[in-house]
Amino acid sequence: MITDPELDADWATAEPADTAEPLASGERAAAAASRPWLWALGGVVAASAVWAGGLYFFGDRLAAPTVSYRATKNLCEDFKAQTLGGLVGDLHKKRPMNQESDHPAVYGAVCVLNNVEGTPDFIVTAQVDLHKKVDPSTEFDVPPLGQMANTGDVRREAVPDLGEDAVMTMSAAGQLQRLTVLDGGAVFTVEVWAGTFAEKNDRPATDATAVQAAMIEDMRELVTALKN
């Protein structure tokens, strides 16, 4: 049996974000929870809007960053997710979903993994954005979009010794965990949706602390794998 990884004891705590809007209704929350694949893929669309908006707003006033990472042709091959897989089972056995987009401003790649066929209860989304025109540090602290923004208040904690800047964001409901890393002109994201972070239908709750530690470990391996 694989032992749960431990979080860094020096994990610093930042001020909680106060920018998220509460859900308009319980029905909206239930609908989102029942269709986790939609928001996992919808995040790619939302990210594209941020890229375009950022370029329009800042124009050519910001210098293009030096990108220290290579473009991946198959993020699901580079993102092993072995530590997360040790908690819930091999995440690559259930039809990984992979997508790349080579835009003049940003090269983006997304990988979506899950642990079961049919309706999954543990979904992992990895995303890598290589910024060619504008330094991503100018927008790194933008509040989360998509499903994370619709889950009520979120809590953000700084993660030390990981890239130039790293933040773990957790939804108030506990179902979503997102780790975002800024480094060398690139933004890395690993997001986990788990239907069992809370006890449900007599199923034990997933250990959120262990999941966060696993996300950090798998993120370190992904960053190392794509380093030029």
Side-chain angles (χ1 to χ4, degrees), residues 37 48 141 160 176 184 210:
W37 282 103
S48 299
D141 289 330
L176 291 176

Side-chain angles (χ1 to χ4, degrees), residues 115-175:
N115 66 330
V116 295
E117 294 287 359
T119 303
D121 63 0
F122 195 94
I123 300 174
V124 179
T125 303
Q127 182 167 333
V128 178
D129 302 322
L130 307 182
H131 292 249
K132 307 174 187 179
K133 298 292 185 180
V134 178
D135 190 331
S137 63
T138 59
E139 297 177 348
F140 185 71
D141 289 330
V142 170
L145 299 175
Q147 179 74 3
M148 181 71 80
N150 291 330
T151 54
D153 292 336
V154 297
R155 183 163 58 94
R156 291 162 58 87
E157 296 181 358
V159 180
D161 304 321
L162 185 57
E164 299 168 18
D165 198 358
V167 176
M168 183 75 73
T169 306
M170 296 144 283
S171 68
Q175 286 188 313

Side-chain angles (χ1 to χ4, degrees), residues 40-222:
L41 296 177
V44 181
V45 177
S48 299
V50 172
W51 301 338
L55 290 175
Y56 176 80
F57 182 80
F58 291 104
D60 293 329
R61 290 181 296 163
L62 300 178
T66 299
V67 181
S68 304
Y69 294 89
R70 66 175 175 85
T72 174
K73 296 303 180 182
N74 189 325
L75 184 56
C76 288
E77 291 183 357
D78 290 311
F79 180 57
K80 305 301 184 183
Q82 292 180 332
T83 312
L84 284 167
L87 299 177
V88 298
D90 187 354
L91 290 164
H92 283 81
K93 295 177 67 174
K94 309 299 182 182
R95 294 181 302 171
M97 300 179 64
N98 190 77
Q99 183 177 357
E100 291 84 34
S101 175
D102 192 3
H103 188 275
V106 179
Y107 177 92
V110 177
C111 170
V112 181
L113 307 172
N114 76 96
N115 66 330
V116 295
E117 294 287 359
T119 303
D121 63 0
F122 195 94
I123 300 174
V124 179
T125 303
Q127 182 167 333
V128 178
D129 302 322
L130 307 182
H131 292 249
K132 307 174 187 179
K133 298 292 185 180
V134 178
D135 190 331
S137 63
T138 59
E139 297 177 348
F140 185 71
D141 289 330
V142 170
L145 299 175
Q147 179 74 3
M148 181 71 80
N150 291 330
T151 54
D153 292 336
V154 297
R155 183 163 58 94
R156 291 162 58 87
E157 296 181 358
V159 180
D161 304 321
L162 185 57
E164 299 168 18
D165 198 358
V167 176
M168 183 75 73
T169 306
M170 296 144 283
S171 68
Q175 286 188 313
L176 291 176
Q177 314 280 340
R178 175 183 292 168
L179 173 61
T180 311
V181 175
L182 169 71
D183 193 65
V187 176
F188 298 82
T189 304
V190 172
E191 186 169 272
V192 171
W193 178 91
T196 56
F197 274 146
E199 292 185 10
K200 184 177 180 181
N201 297 331
D202 297 325
R203 291 183 300 176
T206 301
D207 187 340
T209 300
V211 170
Q212 292 162 14
M215 291 169 68
I216 293 171
E217 183 62 27
D218 287 340
M219 175 68 85
R220 291 189 193 279
E221 294 185 4
L222 176 60

